[in-house]
Amino acid sequence: APREQLLFRERSSADQQVKRLSELYHQHLTGVPVTVVLDDASDPEQVCTLVPERSDSLVLVTARQALRLPPALPARVYDLPVEALDAAGAEELLGAAAEDASGPYDAESSEQIRQLCGGLPLALRVAGSSLGPRSPRALATDLAAYGPVEPVERALWLRYTDQSEPARRLLRRLALAGRTSLGAAAAAALLATDETEANRQLAALSRAGLLDHVRGSRYRLHDVVRAFARARLADEEEPGERTAAQERLIANYAELADSVLRLVDGNMSTRSNQFGQYGFTSLDEALRWLDDESSFITATLRHAEGVDQDTVLNLLGALCDYCLLRGDLYRLGEISELAQSVDQGLLVRSVQWRTGIAARQLGELDKARTTLASVVDLYRDAHHDAGAARALCSLGITLHHQGNLTDAAAKLQEALDLQAAPELATDRAWTLHALAAVQRDRARLAEALELLTESLVLHRAGESVHGQAWAHFQLGQLHLRMGDVPGAESDLRVALDLYGRTQDARGEAWALTQLARARLVDGDVSAAVEGLRRAETRHRENADARGKAWSIYYLGQALEETGALDQSVRALERSRTMFSRMRDVYGLACARHHSARVTRDQRAAQTGSLRNSGFARQLLVDARADFQRIGVGHGEAWTCLELAVVDAGNARTPQALALCDEAAALFAGYGDRRGEDWARFLRCTLLPYAAPGGVEIGTAVAQEELTQLSRARHPARDTKLDDYVDAYQLLLERGVQLEAGWQAWRLGMVPGRQAREVMGVAVTA
């Protein structure tokens, strides 16, 4: 199901959530044949709820007792009783479980053991583990001594009693771990001992059949054994001892999860500086452990009564960061709900900060902004500067995504001011590359490059693989704005590799989008179209609405280059709708700008003139207003030039001339010589038709300005423009015929899509 539908919503009860999930379950299985396994069912109503209503599915149900399902259930029901083991099967299992099976064969005792264990494999395996030190007859006698109890409980009591007191204590306390697999570190935490002793007791319990071996040095309790251990824990240990053991276990989980995320994030202020020896041989292995165990660890926290909240906070923080990395927004919502149920302080702030980031990832930018702004206030009220700075950074990124670049830069600068301390250097690195992205879109390329260079240094020093990935990603986009395609592709491939190492599927999708965009900038259109379609699919799989919108936006531009203007307009309009829905003003303005260009060209191709450009002109007017409101001079200036083309093509040459002058001033305002060249050239093409002194004076002025433009060559100039300048000078020498109208459009001497790709702003390396 779409992840945004699964994310827990505020102000909804558990019953409402279950009802909604049930509806989604049946909706997504309609017409889809699947196999559903309902393991260890205890309630017929549970089973009925999960039988797909409109699909030819197979539902396999296991239950300890026969379930009486209602006759009205719309399904064919088959009962397959799983009987107890017969004598031969029981003997075979006892032999396999025995510590030493070399003793004399005793059929009578084996049958007694089978009967006392009810023929149940678990009971036989646990009891059989004592064969060797015990003869079959002694085992039968000892089992019978426990009186009228359930077969499995009889076997568990026997082997529990056989263990030393430390082993019994460990078994009892393992119930606190829930269904999580664990190793020596967690066992040592439960026993308050060292790992060597913990390993010895784990091995003893495993030999006794009381622990299931998972892999390597990791073990897990069977559900039935856990229930037995929990009962012993309640009966035999004081509440204070139970709470202390659970607190040590959660602290151990927190250190372990923290160490995994530290391999990804580096030395951020959310990560511990204590780096334990957990034996992960690679980042991939560490993340796999967290994949396997995070759901069980979350469940364990639901029963963490009386545990120190700082300990719980550390673990929940690591789990939240893991959920964001994996895109597991459903579990993030679950953790948020859990945090609110157990605490009202720092814990809630920490989780709420992550839920704000999750909302941004889903494209719910207004909700993200509101949530993060409230978190900033909460951290400030608590005088927690590091937390306030992290939340300000996230708020700044959200404002950037909404196109509010001025406020975004202010919030990010405020965060940097709070992160001046050396111990917050890695936090600062994240804020630096976020601010660089904002300054890039504000055409402050030199500042952006400086910020990214510093960010990379700090990310490397803080060992943040994930931070390096995002810094290289932003560097790649900066190189594209500078027209350096090889440099961009180099940085973007580094980012893609680093995202792969941290298993960040969302980051990989963004890198693929920008790599495809680099192909478009380089003129390799077919590769760009293919890459953008692949990236769009990846964004959709990650439920990343914003990534999908930008991929479709670039796809629209690539389709324009192929000549498929109808498809291009559809893609650009689709992206425009998506940006509008998520309230991304910058994206909306860009989509309006390019949709207007392609719509104008499409109509002109059909009619042979620019006289039917009313809709395109309105889009450009709206785009200009958007760019102006958010302070993006680059976007506003190019939109002015596109408006000038439309006005000139509709014989409104004085208005077009004024727009060229406005564009030139905007380009000059942030030092874009490439854009300023185009504004000056278009002005020259208009002067003969719009100059107050008439065509002769206008032509003379245009010739003089074209000569000046031709002489003032520079590296950032669009290469097409030099040819256009020479050609138009020749046209002016031959004389201008006013009745023929403005000629630059007919001759193709207007800026195309590629002209806007590069910002002609001077950047010193």
Side-chain angles (χ1 to χ4, degrees):
R3 287 180 184 140
E4 67 271 18
Q5 296 180 18
L6 293 177
L7 187 62
F8 278 65
R9 300 300 182 184
E10 295 81 356
R11 299 179 297 279
S12 62
S13 67
D15 288 344
Q16 289 172 321
Q17 290 167 5
V18 169
K19 181 181 178 183
R20 178 63 180 142
L21 289 173
S22 298
E23 290 171 356
L24 285 168
Y25 173 79
H26 289 290
Q27 173 190 325
H28 283 274
L29 293 187
T30 296
V32 181
V34 297
T35 300
V36 182
V37 181
L38 305 179
D39 187 32
D40 200 14
S42 59
D43 181 355
E45 188 178 341
Q46 281 183 315
V47 175
C48 294
T49 300
L50 293 169
V51 173
E53 295 171 352
R54 292 181 294 279
S55 74
D56 297 325
S57 294
L58 171 66
V59 182
L60 298 174
V61 184
T62 70
R64 300 183 196 187
Q65 305 294 331
L67 290 178
R68 295 289 170 255
L69 299 176
L73 185 69
R76 293 185 295 275
V77 180
Y78 302 90
D79 287 320
L80 180 63
V82 182
E83 304 291 352
L85 291 176
D86 59 16
E91 286 183 8
E92 183 181 347
L93 183 53
L94 285 170
E99 184 178 326
D100 181 0
S102 61
Y105 177 66
D106 186 342
E108 181 183 352
S109 296
S110 294
E111 177 59 22
Q112 276 186 286
I113 295 169
R114 186 183 77 84
Q115 291 177 2
L116 289 164
C117 291
L120 299 175
L122 177 61
L124 288 165
R125 181 162 58 84
V126 172
S129 67
S130 69
L131 286 173
R134 275 190 180 91
S135 67
R137 183 169 298 280
L139 176 55
T141 301
D142 290 346
L143 282 170
Y146 282 96
V149 295
E150 291 293 320
V152 175
E153 189 175 357
R154 184 193 308 277
L156 291 173
W157 267 115
L158 174 76
R159 294 303 278 145
Y160 176 71
T161 308
D162 286 346
Q163 304 309 305
S164 65
E165 174 50 32
R168 290 200 299 271
R169 188 183 310 122
L170 176 58
L171 182 68
R172 293 192 297 266
R173 293 178 179 178
L174 285 174
L176 296 170
R179 295 175 62 195
T180 320
S181 75
L182 43 75
L190 288 169
L191 284 177
T193 187
D194 59 55
E195 292 192 19
T196 303
E197 173 64 15
N199 257 325
R200 188 161 46 247
Q201 302 306 335
L202 285 170
L205 291 173
S206 179
R207 286 194 301 271
L210 297 169
L211 269 184
D212 293 336
H213 182 246
V214 179
R215 65 177 181 277
S217 59
R218 303 198 68 76
Y219 301 87
R220 180 177 281 133
L221 282 178
H222 187 284
D223 290 349
V224 177
V225 181
R226 188 183 313 108
F228 174 84
R230 189 177 293 117
R232 303 285 66 73
L233 183 69
D235 288 348
E236 300 177 28
E237 295 206 26
E238 295 295 325
E241 293 176 341
R242 293 199 299 268
T243 300
Q246 185 161 35
E247 193 166 300
R248 290 194 300 271
L249 176 67
I250 289 175
N252 173 260
Y253 283 157
E255 289 175 15
L256 191 51
D258 196 66
S259 71
V260 175
L261 269 299
R262 192 178 186 275
L263 291 171
V264 175
D265 288 341
N267 189 27
M268 286 192 70
S269 62
T270 51
R271 301 274 77 85
S272 168
N273 286 320
Q274 303 301 315
F275 214 24
Q277 300 298 313
Y278 293 105
F280 292 124
T281 57
S282 67
L283 176 56
D284 187 56
E285 182 192 349
L287 285 167
R288 194 182 310 122
W289 175 84
L290 207 45
D291 281 340
D292 292 344
E293 307 300 344
S294 58
S295 61
F296 297 148
I297 294 173
T298 307
T300 301
L301 282 170
R302 289 197 174 275
H303 309 289
E305 297 176 6
V307 175
D308 177 65
Q309 292 303 289
D310 284 343
T311 306
V312 176
L313 171 65
N314 291 337
L315 178 52
L316 280 182
L319 288 176
C320 286
D321 287 339
Y322 163 79
C323 291
L324 287 174
L325 177 66
R326 276 285 182 269
D328 189 351
L329 305 182
Y330 176 73
R331 193 178 306 153
L332 181 62
E334 186 183 9
I335 293 171
S336 176
E337 179 195 52
L338 172 62
Q340 290 172 19
S341 69
V342 300
D343 178 77
Q344 292 299 319
L346 187 61
L347 187 59
V348 171
R349 291 195 292 275
S350 177
V351 176
Q352 195 175 349
W353 166 50
R354 272 94 169 188
T355 56
I357 296 172
R360 184 179 73 226
Q361 291 182 2
L362 289 171
E364 298 179 357
L365 300 181
D366 279 345
K367 179 180 176 182
R369 187 192 68 242
T370 303
T371 301
L372 291 167
S374 67
V375 172
V376 170
D377 291 339
L378 289 170
Y379 274 119
R380 280 177 170 153
D381 291 345
H383 305 291
H384 192 297
D385 285 351
R390 290 195 305 268
L392 278 166
C393 176
S394 298
L395 178 58
I397 294 170
T398 305
L399 290 167
H400 178 202
H401 290 182
Q402 288 193 298
N404 191 345
L405 303 189
T406 304
D407 285 352
K411 296 297 181 189
L412 290 165
Q413 187 59 56
E414 195 176 344
L416 284 178
D417 294 341
L418 291 172
Q419 292 167 337
E423 60 270 20
L424 297 179
T426 309
D427 290 26
R428 181 179 175 82
W430 284 87
T431 308
L432 284 166
H433 76 238
L435 180 57
V438 175
Q439 302 300 52
R440 176 198 67 228
D441 288 345
R442 297 173 83 193
R444 301 181 180 185
L445 304 191
E447 183 183 346
L449 182 60
E450 185 180 335
L451 290 166
L452 286 169
T453 303
E454 184 183 354
S455 173
L456 264 178
V457 170
L458 293 178
H459 278 311
R460 286 170 183 147
E463 301 174 346
S464 176
V465 178
H466 203 208
Q468 289 177 60
W470 283 104
H472 278 290
F473 172 75
Q474 300 295 359
L475 260 175
Q477 291 185 83
L478 179 62
H479 284 305
L480 284 178
R481 276 302 189 196
M482 293 160 59
D484 179 8
V485 174
E489 290 185 321
S490 174
D491 273 304
L492 290 168
R493 287 198 181 98
V494 171
L496 185 64
D497 176 63
L498 293 170
Y499 288 134
R501 285 174 56 192
T502 59
Q503 299 180 25
D504 181 355
R506 180 172 164 272
E508 285 181 307
W510 276 101
L512 289 172
T513 294
Q514 293 300 323
L515 279 167
R517 178 189 167 201
R519 291 290 81 225
L520 176 61
V521 174
D522 204 40
D524 188 356
V525 180
S526 59
V529 170
E530 182 183 345
L532 287 164
R533 285 186 168 139
R534 187 166 62 248
E536 181 200 345
T537 301
R538 293 287 294 275
H539 286 301
R540 185 169 63 248
E541 290 168 354
N542 297 329
D544 189 336
R546 187 167 172 273
K548 184 179 173 183
W550 279 104
S551 296
I552 294 169
Y553 164 77
Y554 292 125
L555 177 61
Q557 295 181 51
L559 289 168
E560 177 194 353
E561 293 297 311
T562 68
L565 298 188
D566 288 350
Q567 294 179 47
S568 173
V569 168
R570 281 197 294 273
L572 288 165
E573 285 298 292
R574 192 173 156 213
S575 70
R576 179 163 75 98
T577 301
M578 295 177 74
F579 286 130
S580 178
R581 189 181 301 129
M582 71 182 74
R583 306 285 292 277
D584 179 347
V585 183
Y586 180 61
L588 177 60
C590 290
R592 278 174 167 160
H593 175 96
H594 284 289
S595 183
R597 285 182 48 263
V598 182
T599 300
R600 178 198 66 198
D601 294 354
Q602 186 183 38
R603 293 292 294 155
Q606 293 166 350
T607 64
S609 77
L610 291 170
R611 292 192 179 277
N612 293 283
S613 304
F615 177 65
R617 190 179 195 284
Q618 186 56 53
L619 283 175
L620 288 168
V621 168
D622 291 342
R624 182 186 181 185
D626 288 337
F627 283 129
Q628 198 170 49
R629 187 167 74 253
I630 61 179
V632 178
H634 176 259
E636 186 186 354
W638 282 107
T639 306
C640 284
L641 288 188
E642 298 296 352
L643 276 169
V645 169
V646 172
D647 281 352
N650 282 272
R652 291 193 292 267
T653 48
Q655 294 92 327
L657 189 63
L659 284 165
C660 288
D661 290 340
E662 289 179 52
L666 286 165
F667 285 126
Y670 68 88
D672 188 341
R673 298 189 65 188
R674 179 188 180 93
E676 191 178 354
D677 285 350
W678 269 110
R680 290 171 62 192
F681 173 72
L682 285 180
R683 168 185 161 80
C684 292
T685 68
L686 289 163
L687 278 170
Y689 306 91
V695 65
E696 291 83 4
I697 293 177
T699 299
V701 173
Q703 287 176 317
E704 175 61 26
E705 291 190 8
L706 283 172
T707 302
Q708 293 174 5
L709 184 61
S710 179
R711 289 173 182 161
R713 285 186 172 85
H714 54 85
R717 173 167 291 178
D718 189 338
T719 53
K720 290 181 180 180
L721 200 62
D722 283 329
D723 294 336
Y724 293 169
V725 168
D726 294 340
Y728 210 82
Q729 279 181 318
L730 183 60
L731 187 147
L732 291 176
E733 287 171 11
R734 291 176 177 175
V736 172
Q737 303 297 320
L738 285 179
E739 61 274 11
W742 182 59
Q743 296 296 300
W745 167 263
R746 186 178 62 79
L747 296 171
M749 296 181 183
V750 294
R753 183 199 57 78
Q754 305 93 332
R756 185 178 184 268
E757 289 281 2
V758 178
M759 290 181 182
V761 178
V763 179
T764 53

